[in-house]
Structures are given as structure tokens and as C-alpha cells.
């Protein structure tokens, strides 16, 4: 009786062992039979599977396109601008003047004239009105801006030329970035304009995000005085069973396996066959067998398999991608 129970136990264990070996052979080694099939699953996520950079307390606003009347004089002077004043047939009253911090210029007879916020034409009319009041009969005054210094914008990040610039006319983001020589290869897929927005008697800093796809700016916007044009570098985020979780700069065309190597490779407990790649703010999710990528690269499959090459191309890391490496269900410390 005891012998019979022992044989049943032995057969049961043998069956489980054979079943386990069969499972490992068919499913665990399927990379040898279908080594070019890298994407296990791809779906659209309705959950917020995304990682936001910390410390960003600015409000993100929707892009609005200001309307500019091309027939209307646009530039209004401000502190540090230098204007050229000419009075017809009165050279003694014609000269250059710098707009001071208090918004005034020094001018004969009147000492100071407030001009900040006025267009050159409005300044000419104001000076003409003052001169006609007992000084000159029917004065003809002409004002132009010699040096534009008051309407500053600032460029930081991954532009070819960073620094402080001055607006001379209505300038769009397209035009401005072109004048800078474009974006660096390390630039990410967005441009952020940080702008001080006035609402009644309050002020707040807002961010306007402009998408960039394949190096092309997707939406235009007119720049405003004191705008900060921030061009972040391309980054991806990786967490889970890798050497070091965190943000990494995307300096070249990494595929998902190379990105994991950059983050210190898999840990001993990593589940290499079910790595999650999240992109487009969580709207697209891939489940990837990275083990197949590694083995396929070792065997030179990119040169042999069109499907392998196509899926590997799809899995190139993009700016903002998030990679999550899960822990193996069979691993224990």
C-alpha cells in the first residue's frame, strides 16, 4: 500500500517536472523559434501611466494665436531704447535720446518727457504738441527707433544660440528659431514658452507648450516681451529592475535594449520578457520581450529579418518615453 502511494506520488512529480520542462522549452525558449517577434502586446491606455518631472508648479495653458494688424504701428518704446528725434528746419532740437528707467527722455525746454509705452508716431505727435505751445509754429517732428533694447526675450536650453535677444517687430516662434540657427540634435519634442501673464491686478507665470515633431515646430505663436523660450533636452525615464532608475539624456538613437544598458543593465531579478514601454504621455503602451532583442542582435537578425528590423525601429526611444522593467515572478531574494 505504501509502495503504491509512493509510485503515485512519483508519477505526479514526474508529470509536473515534464510539464514544467515543456513549458520552459516552448514558451521560455520561443525566442529561438520566433526571434523576430519583439512586441508582445501594444495597446492604448486610458489610465495615466506617465511620469512627470518634479518641481513644475507653473500653469500650462492652451495655445492661443494673437492677431496683429499689419497696418498698425506695433513697437512701443521702453527703457534702454534709443530713439532718433528730428524736427524739420530745427537742427538744435534734433538729436538722439535714450529712454530712461523711469520711462522718460531728456529734451530741451521741457527737461523730461514721458514716452514709455508710446509708438514712435505717438512720441512725434507728443513732442510736436509741446513745441507748438509757444515755441515753434506748426512743427514737423519725426521719430524713429535707432536701437531696440527694451523688448527682451531670453533663450535657454537646446538652441544653437542661447542668450538675450531684442524684438524689433512682431516675431513668430518659427521666425525666431530660424534666426537662431535652429535646434540642437539633443533638443526634445517640445518648446516651452514661460510667460508672465497679467490678469486684472494680478500676475502669474504660465507655460505654453509647443510640440516639435521630427525637428519641425508644429504650432506658431507670436513672442511677447520678457518671454523665456526654454528648449529642454530629449530625455527618457526608466525605473524598476535596472541598475539605476531615473532620467537619462537621449543623445542618440537608442533602442529599448540600449536604453536599459545605459541605465546599468537588468538586475538579477528582472523580467526581461515583459518590459513595458510607455509613450505619448501614457496613450501608447508596449509590452516588449527585450530578451529576444538581445539574442536577435547577437545573431545579427537586423540584417536577416525585415520584421525584426521593423519592430526594432518602432522601439527606438523617443523624448518623454518611460520604460518600466518588472520583477520576475520566479525571483526571490
Amino acid at each position: 500500500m505504501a509502495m503504491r502511494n509512493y509510485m503515485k506520488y512519483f508519477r505526479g512529480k514526474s508529470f509536473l517536472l515534464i510539464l514544467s520542462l515543456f513549458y520552459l522549452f516552448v514558451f521560455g525558449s520561443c525566442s529561438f523559434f520566433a526571434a523576430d517577434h519583439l512586441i508582445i502586446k501594444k495597446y492604448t491606455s486610458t489610465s495615466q501611466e506617465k511620469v512627470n518631472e518634479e518641481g513644475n508648479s507653473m500653469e500650462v495653458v492652451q495655445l492661443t494665436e494673437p492677431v496683429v494688424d499689419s497696418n498698425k504701428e506695433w513697437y512701443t518704446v521702453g527703457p534702454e531704447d534709443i530713439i532718433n528725434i528730428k524736427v524739420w528746419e530745427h537742427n538744435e532740437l534734433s538729436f538722439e535720446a535714450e529712454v530712461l528707467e523711469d520711462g522718460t527722455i531728456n529734451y530741451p525746454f521741457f527737461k523730461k518727457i514721458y514716452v514709455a509705452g508710446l509708438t514712435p508716431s505717438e512720441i512725434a505727435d507728443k513732442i510736436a504738441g509741446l513745441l507748438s505751445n509757444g515755441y515753434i509754429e506748426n512743427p514737423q517732428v519725426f521719430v524713429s527707433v535707432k536701437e531696440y533694447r527694451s523688448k527682451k526675450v531670453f533663450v535657454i536650453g537646446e538652441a544653437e544660440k542661447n542668450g538675450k535677444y531684442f524684438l524689433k517687430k512682431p516675431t513668430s516662434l518659427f521666425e525666431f528659431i530660424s534666426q537662431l540657427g535652429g535646434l540642437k540634435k539633443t533638443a526634445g519634442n517640445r518648446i516651452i514658452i514661460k510667460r508672465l501673464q497679467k490678469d486684472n491686478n494680478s500676475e502669474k507665470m504660465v507655460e505654453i507648450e509647443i510640440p516639435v515633431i521630427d525637428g519641425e515646430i508644429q504650432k506658431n505663436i507670436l513672442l511677447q516681451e520678457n518671454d523665456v523660450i526654454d528648449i529642454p533636452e530629449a530625455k527618457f525615464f526608466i525605473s524598476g529592475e535596472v541598475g539605476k532608475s531615473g532620467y537619462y539624456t537621449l543623445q542618440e538613437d537608442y533602442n529599448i535594449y540600449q536604453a536599459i544598458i545605459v541605465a546599468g543593465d537588468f538586475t538579477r531579478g528582472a523580467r526581461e520578457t515583459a518590459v513595458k514601454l510607455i509613450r505619448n504621455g501614457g496613450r501608447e503602451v508596449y509590452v516588449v520581450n527585450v530578451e529576444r532583442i538581445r539574442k536577435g542582435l547577437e545573431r545579427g537578425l537586423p540584417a536577416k529579418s525585415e520584421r525584426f528590423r521593423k519592430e526594432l525601429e518602432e522601439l527606438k526611444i523617443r523624448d518623454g518615453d518611460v520604460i518600466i522593467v518588472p520583477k520576475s515572478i520566479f525571483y526571490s531574494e
Side-chain angles (χ1 to χ4, degrees):
M1 185 71 178
M3 187 65 178
R4 187 179 300 170
N5 289 337
Y6 177 77
M7 290 299 293
K8 285 183 179 179
Y9 175 80
F10 179 75
R11 289 193 194 100
K13 287 292 185 182
S14 298
F15 175 76
L16 289 175
L17 179 61
I18 293 170
L19 185 62
S20 298
L21 290 172
F22 176 78
Y23 177 86
L24 290 172
F25 179 74
V26 173
F27 297 101
S29 303
C30 62
S31 58
F32 292 103
F33 292 97
D36 60 345
H37 186 54
L38 311 179
I39 300 173
I40 307 302
K41 189 178 181 182
K42 180 180 177 182
Y43 60 94
T44 301
S45 175
T46 56
S47 63
Q48 296 298 313
E49 293 183 274
K50 60 182 178 180
V51 178
N52 293 319
E53 294 188 42
E54 297 178 359
N56 181 7
S57 59
M58 293 183 181
E59 180 184 351
V60 178
V61 300
Q62 294 293 321
L63 180 66
T64 56
E65 185 65 26
V67 177
V68 175
D69 185 352
S70 59
N71 295 318
K72 183 180 178 181
E73 194 173 18
W74 174 81
Y75 194 86
T76 57
V77 304
E80 299 185 45
D81 282 337
I82 296 179
I83 61 176
N84 196 346
I85 304 169
K86 290 187 179 296
V87 182
W88 182 255
E89 294 185 342
H90 289 275
N91 291 334
E92 73 279 6
L93 296 176
S94 301
F95 64 96
E96 295 175 0
E98 180 177 356
V99 182
L100 305 176
E101 285 298 321
D102 62 359
T104 65
I105 58 170
N106 293 318
Y107 195 78
F109 305 130
F110 312 110
K111 292 185 179 179
K112 289 190 174 184
I113 302 175
Y114 191 83
V115 298
L118 300 179
T119 67
S121 295
E122 290 170 339
I123 296 171
D125 290 342
K126 186 171 187 176
I127 294 175
L130 293 170
L131 290 174
S132 64
N133 189 16
Y135 294 96
I136 300 174
E137 184 177 350
N138 193 26
Q140 302 296 308
V141 182
F142 306 92
V143 176
S144 61
V145 181
K146 182 182 180 182
E147 294 187 26
Y148 296 84
R149 296 178 178 176
S150 66
K151 296 193 185 320
K152 307 176 184 71
V153 294
F154 305 88
V155 182
I156 59 176
E158 303 304 297
E160 288 295 341
K161 297 176 184 177
N162 285 354
K164 178 172 65 176
Y165 296 86
F166 305 102
L167 299 177
K168 301 179 182 179
K169 60 184 181 65
T171 305
S172 71
L173 181 61
F174 285 175
E175 182 182 1
F176 187 74
I177 294 297
S178 177
Q179 292 171 358
L180 294 180
L183 308 177
K184 292 181 180 179
K185 291 182 179 179
T186 51
N189 59 14
R190 60 185 179 144
I191 295 174
I192 300 172
I193 295 179
K194 299 176 182 178
R195 176 173 292 174
L196 190 63
Q197 189 175 79
K198 296 181 180 180
D199 184 16
N200 296 326
N201 295 324
S202 63
E203 293 183 342
K204 62 181 177 180
M205 186 67 73
V206 299
E207 288 187 349
I208 303 171
E209 291 195 4
I210 313 294
V212 178
I213 301 176
D214 296 329
E216 296 294 328
I217 302 171
Q218 297 300 298
K219 294 181 180 179
N220 212 359
I221 185 173
L222 283 174
L223 298 180
Q224 294 183 12
E225 181 180 354
N226 293 320
D227 278 351
V228 177
I229 302 165
D230 183 7
I231 305 167
E233 64 181 352
K235 290 183 178 181
F236 65 93
F237 183 82
I238 187 166
S239 67
E241 296 300 310
V242 291
K244 187 176 180 181
S245 297
Y247 283 97
Y248 288 87
T249 301
L250 186 58
Q251 296 179 336
E252 53 186 275
D253 289 335
Y254 292 141
N255 60 47
I256 189 170
Y257 175 58
Q258 291 168 320
I260 290 168
I261 295 298
V262 168
D265 209 343
F266 291 111
T267 65
R268 291 175 60 187
R271 187 180 177 190
E272 301 179 30
T273 58
V275 177
K276 186 177 287 187
L277 172 64
I278 303 167
R279 64 177 32 149
N280 291 333
R283 290 185 289 274
E284 289 181 81
V285 181
Y286 296 77
V287 179
V288 183
N289 190 328
V290 179
E291 182 184 42
R292 291 180 185 172
I293 296 178
R294 175 174 56 81
K295 291 180 179 180
L297 292 173
E298 290 171 356
R299 296 167 58 193
L301 281 186
K304 302 174 184 177
S305 169
E306 183 178 353
R307 179 175 183 174
F308 185 96
R309 188 167 56 251
K310 184 177 179 180
E311 290 196 12
L312 193 64
E313 181 70 23
E314 188 174 355
L315 294 172
K316 276 188 177 179
I317 300 304
R318 305 174 189 171
D319 180 39
D321 279 357
V322 175
I323 302 169
I324 300 176
V325 181
K327 181 177 286 188
S328 172
I329 57 176
F330 300 108
Y331 180 78
S332 60
E333 297 291 347

